[in-house]
Amino acid sequence: MRLRTPLALLGAAVLVLVGPPLLTTGSGSETGTQIPGLRFMVPNTPGGGYDITARTAAKNAEDAGLTHNIEVFNLPGAGGTVGLSRLVSEHGNGKLAMSMGLGVVGAVRSNDAPKTLGDTTPIARLTEEQDVVVVAKDSPYKTIDDLIGAWKENPGKLPVGGGSSPGGPDHLAPMLMARAAGIPPKQVNYIPFDGGGELLASILGNKVAFGVSGVGEYQDQIKAGELRLLAVTGPERVEGLDAPTLKEAGYDVNFTNWRGIVAPPGLNDGERDKLVKLVEELHDSDEWRTSLRQNGWDDAFLTGEKFGAFLDAEDKRVVSVLKELGL
């Protein structure tokens, strides 16, 4: 499910993925993945990476016959920490899960949130993806060197927008870009938005000089010519997109984002295992494999306790990078 056209973004604001059971060959009963009444919280606005991931996962799970009538709803605010607080308050609720990623890790730190991901039940890391550096189609910046050159002349006058709070991926990526270009990160005029959907309007309206967000969020707008792609932040070029990596362009940056799923605290072993089993079966489905390819997502599957250890490590990494950047 790809919500990237204006009509789809508008519809996402009220969309709830409920309906009659799909006619598939699987019922979910054979694999023990049926969770009647399952709800999937998105802690930012429609059209962002968490939203696209959640709705894609829900539709793929239903199409594969793993479970039915998954409700997806948005609860945005404070970089995902409003949703996180709600999730933690649902102690013992085995029918609720939340889409999340590196942005929530950073938001917990930047907002000094009372609840952390350590208070949740880790379920799975699903995907990894690069960020893209984009400008509006009528922007004067034709290449990444054009942009960096103007940015170096006056960092404060070239605002950069990102779909995450300070400490999140869309904040860390341009800060690492700035450092690689010789711009003090503290001079960067970073404007946070609550997800890629909100950011998109500001890029298209030239309210920010450039934006940084996930490749899967803006792939359609890039291919349609609405956005001009200047560079990608990861180790390799993205298939199907004509842009260099930052490193290839001469800037020593290698950065990727990831997304996953957590559940409320206090689940019993059976409830936790059923959620893990559902995402394991989803991961192995043809539907999910197709979605990975179409959205430019890399498979980064990791479940349970290993995912929990990864979350702890990511929290320490965010703190370390922010200190290293003087932020």
Side-chain angles (χ1 to χ4, degrees):
M1 177 174 290
R2 306 175 66 195
L3 303 175
R4 302 191 192 114
T5 65
L7 180 60
L9 288 175
L10 177 62
V14 295
L15 177 62
V16 174
L17 292 180
V18 293
L22 300 174
L23 296 176
T24 66
T25 56
S27 68
S29 58
E30 298 89 346
T31 55
T33 57
Q34 283 287 351
I35 306 176
L38 178 61
R39 307 179 76 215
F40 210 165
M41 184 197 305
V42 177
N44 64 6
T45 53
Y50 299 152
D51 188 69
I52 294 169
T53 303
R55 296 181 188 278
T56 300
K59 185 175 189 304
N60 288 172
E62 292 190 349
D63 287 350
L66 300 176
T67 192
H68 301 302
N69 300 344
I70 302 173
E71 177 187 345
V72 181
F73 67 100
N74 297 77
L75 184 63
T81 57
V82 170
L84 176 62
S85 179
R86 163 72 179 276
L87 186 83
V88 173
S89 74
E90 296 273 348
H91 189 278
N93 185 352
K95 296 187 177 184
L96 179 65
M98 185 178 84
S99 176
M100 48 73 69
L102 180 57
V104 177
V105 178
V108 166
R109 287 293 177 181
S110 62
N111 292 309
D112 195 22
K115 302 300 181 183
T116 74
L117 289 165
D119 296 315
T120 70
T121 299
I123 302 300
R125 184 183 69 189
L126 293 175
T127 64
E128 184 178 38
E129 71 172 340
Q130 304 195 40
D131 268 2
V132 291
V133 182
V134 293
V135 295
K137 63 181 179 182
D138 57 352
S139 168
Y141 310 116
K142 308 294 185 185
T143 68
I144 188 65
D145 285 333
D146 290 344
L147 174 64
I148 296 290
W151 200 20
K152 289 175 74 171
E153 285 183 13
N154 198 331
K157 286 196 174 179
L158 262 74
V160 50
S164 59
S165 295
D170 299 350
H171 171 251
L172 293 178
M175 293 302 167
L176 292 170
M177 281 174 56
R179 184 180 67 175
I183 301 169
K186 285 186 177 180
Q187 293 183 16
V188 173
N189 181 8
Y190 176 76
I191 301 176
F193 294 85
D194 204 353
E198 286 190 356
L199 170 62
L200 178 61
S202 288
I203 301 172
L204 294 175
N206 292 306
K207 294 184 179 177
V208 294
F210 66 104
V212 177
S213 195
V215 61
E217 295 175 66
Y218 292 161
Q219 193 167 224
D220 283 354
Q221 287 82 4
I222 292 167
K223 290 181 176 179
E226 296 172 13
L227 294 175
R228 180 182 299 142
L229 174 62
L230 302 184
V232 296
T233 65
E236 299 176 353
R237 290 192 176 211
V238 175
E239 184 178 352
L241 297 180
D242 183 20
T245 66
L246 286 169
K247 205 152 195 173
E248 189 181 339
Y251 306 99
D252 190 16
V253 177
N254 183 352
F255 181 85
T256 56
N257 184 20
W258 57 267
R259 296 193 181 95
I261 300 171
V262 293
L267 303 191
N268 61 43
D269 289 348
E271 291 168 328
R272 182 197 62 218
D273 292 348
K274 198 158 194 176
L275 283 167
V276 171
K277 182 67 173 176
L278 174 61
V279 294
E280 286 176 342
E281 294 291 332
L282 170 67
H283 171 259
D284 292 340
S285 70
D286 291 338
E287 289 82 358
W288 181 248
R289 296 292 176 181
T290 298
S291 293
L292 288 175
R293 184 175 64 256
Q294 290 177 341
N295 287 285
W297 295 335
D298 292 323
D299 187 7
F301 197 59
L302 193 67
T303 61
E305 292 181 1
K306 290 182 179 180
F307 179 44
F310 171 79
L311 290 177
D312 290 339
E314 284 294 273
D315 181 55
K316 293 180 175 66
R317 182 170 76 98
V318 166
V319 171
S320 175
V321 170
L322 290 174
K323 285 182 178 178
E324 183 183 340
L325 294 172
L327 301 172

